[in-house]
Each structure stands twice: as C-alpha cells, then as structure tokens.
Amino acid sequence: IVNRDGVDFVKKISAQHHTVIPGFGEETTFYSLKLRRDGNTDRTIFAESSMQDVISVYDEIKEFLKL
C-alpha cells in the first residue's frame, strides 16, 4: 500500500458513516481479460482475483463468437 495514512483515514470516515468496506487496504492480485483492438490498443473487459474465473469468461466468449 503506497499511502497507508490515506487508507486509515478512509476507514475512519467509513466507520463514522456505519459503512464497512470489506478488504479495503488489503493487497490483492487481479487477473485481466483484455480485448486487443485495431491499432494494438487494449481494453480490459473483465478482471477478477480468480484466474479460473477469468479463464471461464474467456472460454464463454470464445464459444459465443465460435472461435
């Protein structure tokens, strides 16, 4: 976490509003499914902390497009 003080500050504000942000401030790895467009530009179309979920979405898209 780059700004631990900022994370702590936001946690205090959310607690004052009786709102909990689960996992806020924790480090998590995300896997992205990107669509490469003409001109070699990428667009992220799905991201998840489970690589298996990303692979499942990829397989569903491939099946839908009949690739």
Side-chain angles (χ1 to χ4, degrees):
I1 306 298
V2 176
N3 185 352
R4 175 54 62 191
D5 291 336
V7 169
D8 293 340
F9 183 70
V10 170
K11 283 183 177 181
K12 288 177 185 177
I13 291 172
S14 65
Q16 289 175 348
H17 291 275
H18 307 290
T19 304
V20 177
I21 307 170
F24 185 75
E26 295 176 6
E27 242 180 81
T28 305
T29 300
F30 278 87
Y31 302 94
S32 302
L33 179 60
K34 294 186 177 193
L35 177 67
R36 174 145 307 156
R37 301 174 57 187
D38 289 342
N40 290 329
T41 59
D42 291 338
R43 296 287 174 145
T44 300
I45 59 173
F46 185 75
E48 177 63 50
S49 60
S50 164
M51 182 181 269
Q52 188 57 46
D53 288 347
V54 174
I55 291 170
S56 288
V57 170
Y58 172 74
D59 289 340
E60 287 182 42
I61 290 171
K62 273 181 41 178
E63 185 177 325
F64 177 77
L65 296 175
K66 300 190 185 336
L67 296 176

